[in-house]
Structure formats: structure tokens, C-alpha cells
Amino acid sequence: MVRVQAHAKLNLSLEIVGKRPDGFHELVSVMQLVELADELRMEHADDIQVRSSEQSLNGPDNLVYRAARALHTRFQVSSGCHIELIKHIPSAAGLGGGSSDAAATLIALCTLWELRPDCEELVQLAAELGSDVPYFLYGGTALVTGRGERVTRLREPESLWYLLVNPGFAAPTRDVFGELRSDEWTDGQCTRRLACDVSEHGVTRIGVNGLASALFRLQPEAQPCFERVRLLAPGSTFLSGSGPTVAAQFSTREAARHAEHMLRDSGYWTTITRTLAAPAGTMPCL
Ligand code: C5P
């Protein structure tokens, strides 16, 4: 039996810089891994099966199943695996839960099936599964470019606390990108400057989110949640990825708890989490 945690990410800054001939968008983002995580357990079996605490994730469309299948095919593995996925990260929430589950599956199955893929091969396989999946092979704090598959690790920043607030509905990434207008593209410089600050001084601040306007047009009901959190943490509230999860950054757990308490009757899903450094030695070839 192999057990692994699949952590969520936050986009401390995200800029969309253009559209590519393949239909994907070119982006520049600083991503930060946090402690909030799904759990996966896998064991040897004759076939490949995924069982999840969330019914909707039990089919073959689940990224975990597709990751296992892709690795199985690429390396012509003779045995199978049964995977149990226990969800804690909200789905389609801008927190990368599905992508992180897929990356964790690749890493854990390399252990279970005793595979030694070279790094490039694994990153390529991850990129075929989804734009964010390669980042989760590295984790930690990273500058992410291309359609999401080019990952440059940054120095570990100071440890900070985050209050995450989700209004309780999904925002499919594809739909949010579909709503984006070309006049909302930016040059990526704000995010690159933030990456430099992290690298040179270990300082984490909040940048911009180039998908925020598109999300609020697509789902206007996401905006009141954002505004409510912003009132509690002005200057340190941001939307993660394509949303609708709102994050607020705090230097202490007590401050994050106080803000969470102020939302106790909102009906929103909330949790408090903190910066997670890249786990050493989980990635077989990095
Ligand atoms: O790569 P992934 O499957 O996570 O992307 C979901 C959808 O989000 C894509 O089909 C695409 O419409 C959009 N997307 C994009 N540019 C990116 C990443 C995602 O347009 N860099």
C-alpha cells in the first residue's frame, strides 16, 4: 500500500499574456503549495479502479484514473492498482485539486510499480493530463509559464497563513478562459517582479489575477464572496486561479482565525491553511 497527499495550490499572481495557436492561453503565474490536501491510497490489483469519497469522481474521466492509465500504457506495466481518493480540496475551485491528485498518482504509482521514468518523460506525461499537473510534480513556490507546463522553482518564502473561502459552486477553468477578453491580457511583468521578490528576498506579496474579471462576468455571484473577504483583509485578498475560491493572506494563524470567525454565518466553505515547502524526495526524478 502506498499513501500520498495531494496538496492544493494558490496563484499568488496570475497574468494571461496571450492566446496560442493550439487554443490554450499563454500565462505567467507564481504558484504556492499549501498544506490543505487530498489523500490517496493505492495498492496492487489486477485491474485499474478509482474509488472516491466524491461520487462524481468515480468514473474514467477522473484525472486520477487517466493518470494511472497513461502511466500504465507508457511503461507497459503488467499489474494494475486500486486507488482510493479522499477529497478535502473543493473541486473546480481554482485550487488545483484535480491536477494535484493526478500528479500525486503519477508519483505514487512510480513507487508502487517500481518505475524509474526520466524527469522529462514524467513532466511530458503530466502536461498531457492538464496544464497545471507538471507544477505539482515540483510543488513549493514556483514561477509557472507557457500554458502552465514550464516550471521554475523559486526560493522558499516566509511561512504564511491563508484563509480560504469558497462560495460553494464550481467555476470550470475552460468556461472562465472562454469568457476572457483579449483586452484583459497583460505583459506578465507584475508577476515576474513578484517572482524576483520571492527569489531575492523571500518575501511573498499578492500580485494580480488576470482571470478575475472573466470569472465575475461568468458568475456574478462570486463577487459578493470576494468583496466580503476583502473587507476583512484589505490588501491581502486574492482570487486563486480561475476561482471562485478567495484567499486572504495573514502572518499569524490567530489573525486568519479571527477573519474566519467573522464569516461563520456566511454559509461559505472556509478553511485555514499555510505555506508548504516543496516536499523533499517525493518526486522520483527531480
Ligand atoms: O489544461 P487543462 O485541462 O487544465 O485546461 C482546461 C481548459 O482551460 C482548457 O481546455 C482551456 O480551455 C483552458 N486553458 C487555457 N489556457 C491554459 C490553461 C487552460 O485556455 N493555459
Side-chain angles (χ1 to χ4, degrees), residues 29-282:
S29 184
V30 171
M31 292 200 192
Q32 174 63 60
L33 208 65
V34 290
E35 283 182 350
L36 173 68
D38 292 337
E39 300 166 52
L40 292 108
R41 297 181 196 143
M42 14 204 118
E43 55 193 5
H44 285 288
D46 293 334
D47 57 348
I48 297 179
Q49 279 185 34
V50 179
R51 212 160 33 110
S52 171
S53 56
E54 230 173 79
Q55 280 301 320
S56 61
L57 299 179
N58 278 330
D61 289 341
N62 183 350
L63 265 184
V64 168
Y65 181 85
R66 286 171 44 206
R69 200 26 88 206
L71 200 67
H72 189 266
T73 306
R74 182 74 59 98
F75 293 96
Q76 299 176 339
V77 180
S78 54
S79 62
C81 59
H82 283 183
I83 303 175
E84 194 185 346
L85 168 63
I86 300 142
K87 288 296 292 179
H88 300 292
I89 307 172
S91 298
L95 298 172
S99 302
S100 184
D101 294 342
T105 300
L106 294 178
I107 292 167
L109 285 181
C110 284
T111 306
L112 191 78
W113 288 337
E114 297 178 9
L115 306 174
R116 297 271 172 276
D118 71 53
C119 185
E120 239 171 76
E121 222 173 357
L122 204 59
V123 170
Q124 194 198 331
L125 206 105
E128 285 166 18
L129 291 165
S131 305
D132 281 351
V133 183
Y135 160 73
F136 287 103
L137 295 176
Y138 300 83
T141 313
L143 176 67
V144 175
T145 57
R147 75 172 169 93
E149 83 289 10
R150 286 209 298 273
V151 182
T152 309
R153 285 279 292 280
L154 302 172
R155 176 177 145 180
E156 296 299 342
E158 61 199 316
S159 182
L160 293 168
W161 294 89
Y162 293 93
L163 167 64
L164 307 186
V165 184
N166 184 286
F169 48 82
T173 309
R174 178 192 298 266
D175 299 348
V176 179
F177 271 105
E179 184 63 40
L180 186 70
R181 298 193 310 235
S182 57
D183 63 358
E184 288 163 343
W185 298 347
T186 48
D187 63 5
Q189 286 312 312
C190 169
T191 303
R192 289 184 187 280
R193 275 197 300 275
L194 194 149
C196 280
D197 281 355
V198 175
S199 280
E200 286 167 21
H201 311 294
V203 170
T204 325
R205 47 186 181 80
I206 309 303
V208 292
N209 186 325
L211 289 176
S213 301
L215 172 74
F216 296 146
R217 271 196 309 279
L218 185 73
Q219 295 181 322
E221 63 276 31
Q223 194 144 14
C225 174
F226 183 83
E227 297 304 340
R228 190 147 175 206
V229 181
R230 188 158 59 175
L231 280 177
L232 295 170
S236 63
T237 294
F238 60 104
L239 187 74
S240 185
S242 50
T245 304
V246 181
Q249 190 184 65
F250 297 93
S251 49
T252 65
R253 186 205 289 255
E254 288 64 37
R257 277 217 181 115
H258 178 71
E260 186 181 40
H261 186 70
M262 302 298 280
L263 294 170
R264 66 194 178 284
D265 56 4
S266 64
Y268 298 145
W269 173 92
T270 62
T271 195
I272 291 170
T273 190
R274 74 192 289 195
T275 309
L276 185 72
T282 48

